[in-house]
Amino acid sequence: DQQVKQNSPSLSVQEGRISILNCDYTNSMFDYFLWYKKYPAEGPTFLISISSIKDKNEDGRFTVFLNKSAKHLSLHIVPSQPGDSAVYFCAAESMYSGGGADGLTFGKGTHLIIQP
Amino acid sequence: GAVVSQHPSWVICKSGTSVKIECRSLDFQATTMFWYRQFPKQSLMLMATSNEGSKATYEQGVEKDKFLINHASLTLSTLTVTSAHPEDSSFYICSIKQDNYGYTFGSGTRLTVV
């Protein structure tokens, strides 16, 4: 039973355009969400996060939107650059709900391909 | 944030042998470390939480006798895959968590059991 879902295994976007990666979750206890970028044979690299008390967080070209009622979050990358090509993982945890240091629950990832 | 060093980055072993993977936290004393496993085209799945000086906490469905975790110091946790079989072939990743920096991951270990 996947608690964090990324339904698009891959996404192709033209350089300079906006990339939108989507993520849905089912566990209402999740209150902190993170996006990671991963290259093959490497560990994930943190990109951006958002707490459940917010609906938007922005950091440079990366913006994460959270819709709690829909249990949906999205990562926007604009403008997309060739170096953004990687697998992006959505992750969640129950940080403020008494979860403590319980580790992250990850989605399956979306392979973003930026075309020149 | 701290750097997490994982070793080896890849290993090939024969079926039935044991393999040890090391995870070191540089510049940070980690009382807790996390071990994940990723199968091809799958998500990273939390296997266990390693606790310094005490027993690890395993996720449901993870055999603690097969995946031995030792967290003997604040900077080192090891995962030993005992009596490895081809189905144990996977990408194993460790991570730490720091209050101000969140989770930092190691570079991962690709295990292939032949």
Side-chain angles (χ1 to χ4, degrees), chain B residues 4-71:
Chain B
V4 178
S5 173
Q6 194 170 335
H7 179 81
S9 54
W10 61 270
V11 58
I12 301 173
C13 71
K14 289 186 176 181
S15 187
T17 62
S18 295
V19 173
K20 181 186 282 188
I21 303 170
E22 292 187 350
C23 180
R24 292 184 185 274
S25 170
L26 308 180
D27 299 325
F28 177 74
Q29 294 184 325
T31 55
T32 302
M33 291 187 181
F34 304 93
W35 286 95
Y36 294 84
R37 177 172 55 185
Q38 184 190 19
F39 291 109
K41 297 187 179 182
Q42 299 295 314
S43 60
L44 287 83
M45 298 294 293
L46 180 66
M47 298 176 63
T49 302
S50 169
N51 304 298
E52 188 267 336
S54 64
K55 292 182 179 180
T57 305
Y58 290 83
E59 295 299 302
Q60 193 172 13
V62 178
E63 301 175 59
K64 61 180 181 180
D65 294 330
K66 181 167 185 63
F67 299 98
L68 299 180
I69 290 174
N70 186 294
H71 194 154

Side-chain angles (χ1 to χ4, degrees), chain A residues 36-45 86-87 89, chain B residues 38 44 91 93:
Chain A
Y36 286 85
K37 179 179 180 181
K38 185 180 180 299
Y39 294 112
E42 292 185 11
T45 303
V87 177
F89 285 94
Chain B
Q38 184 190 19
L44 287 83
F91 191 59
I93 310 175

